[in-house]
Amino acid sequence: MSGSNVWSRSREKIRLFSELFAQCSGEAAAYGKCVAATTTGRQELKKDMCAKEFEALKTCFTNAGKKRAK
Amino acid sequence: MSSGACVRVLPTSAGWRQVTSSCRRLPAGPSSDPRRGLSSPGSGTVNVFNREMKKRQKNWAASLQDSHQYDYLRDEVSSRVADRIYDVARTFPLALDIGAGKSHIAGHLSKEMVERLFLTDISEASLKQRKLSEIPTHCVLADEEFLPFKENTFDLVVSSLRWVVHVAILSQIHQVLKPDGVFIGAMVGGETLYELRCSLQLAETEREGGFSPHISPYTAVTDLGNLLGQAGFSMLTVDVDDVQVHYPGIMEVMTDLQGMGESNCAWNRRPLLHRDTVLAAAALYKGGGGDGSIPATFQILYMIGWKPHESQAKPAKRGSATVSFVDLSKIGQPSHSHQS
């Protein structure tokens, strides 16, 4: 395999993941706290229980990606 | 030293003709039914993993340019297994290394410990890259669950870091061991990768409403004694070692596991992992260090089991005691009637 192909592009994205993720530690912590709160309480963890926090995390992550691409 | 192909490498001296003929028991390869059950006396059929897929994963991992950078865990565990072999004060004329990979254990052995070594692995690419050792070795390409050896052949069977162990494999090992032979091995225990497992589980539940197993279940310490006993081993020794490796992030954990050739190959695995779920799992991964690194735990279980033989010490018969527990209190004092 030579040149840029699907495999090398997705491996590159995987490698950049940690770098981009590190820029969103605040949102990640908030999401983590939300999920931890549901698991310790009476209620079970259900789908989209922390959707708001996750959306904030995802927006931060995609913005970090866009900024890097510039 | 010999090449990695099966059967052709075995010497043709009279003593080994039996081994050659039993090689025909090997499964035929890609044409064999992948869903064959694995049965052995005393246990039901076990067919959880796609062995064909595991062979492809191992071959891929061994053929990577920088495959040696994923060897750290196996090298560490292999050196500890070699330590245990050294502790047994015997020289083993013939030994077998199951799932040898790049023969990590052989590099730590010396001629005083083992005189001749057989390496088996499911992946030809790994065997081709094996490290050199001063001990004469032979390579056999075989699935560890179907060992092509006659009964009572080996004095020592070793295994460096198995990720999957069930009674069928242990029974096979028990069969090929000579009486008074020993099996020394290492495998991953129940707590391994629990951070990864929990974070993926929570993330998948929150993002997708349910979760599927991405990490195969590992043996608990308490079950290991039962497994070994069921397979027929006696004088068991099991000890646990927790190895914590720190990674920059969850992606590196998964990439390294893939590089080790230990990706999931269970039949019931889900082929898809949403990127949202991975992002959520990265946020939920617990135990981050101050410098942003995350720990991954590998719980390694080391086991030693012997094949029964008359020369081994047995529990004494009831009623054969010559000293009473009451005399324990008199041990510190000089006594005329104390029997030695």
Side-chain angles (χ1 to χ4, degrees), chain A residues 11 18 31 48-50 58, chain B residues 205-207 252 258 276 280:
Chain A
R11 293 309 262 196
S18 294
Y31 178 71
D48 288 332
M49 258 190 157
C50 297
K58 192 163 172 194
Chain B
T205 312
E206 200 275 328
R207 285 286 90 214
E252 281 76 8
Q258 188 182 32
D276 281 1

Side-chain angles (χ1 to χ4, degrees), chain B residues 228-242:
Chain B
L228 287 169
Q230 256 188 303
F233 291 99
S234 65
M235 300 205 303
L236 307 174
T237 311
V238 176
D239 58 292
V240 190
D241 205 6
D242 273 330

Side-chain angles (χ1 to χ4, degrees), chain B residues 268-321:
Chain B
N268 65 354
R269 74 187 181 281
R270 197 163 167 235
L272 187 62
L273 187 57
H274 286 290
R275 55 183 129 178
D276 281 1
T277 308
V278 178
L279 182 56
L284 293 172
Y285 202 106
K286 289 229 178 3
D291 57 353
S293 67
I294 55 173
T297 307
F298 296 90
Q299 189 188 48
I300 317 283
L301 309 178
Y302 298 93
M303 52 197 158
I304 304 181
W306 295 77
K307 185 155 176 177
H309 187 256
E310 307 85 47
S311 67
Q312 291 168 0
K314 295 227 179 347
K317 279 172 59 126
R318 288 174 70 106
S320 64

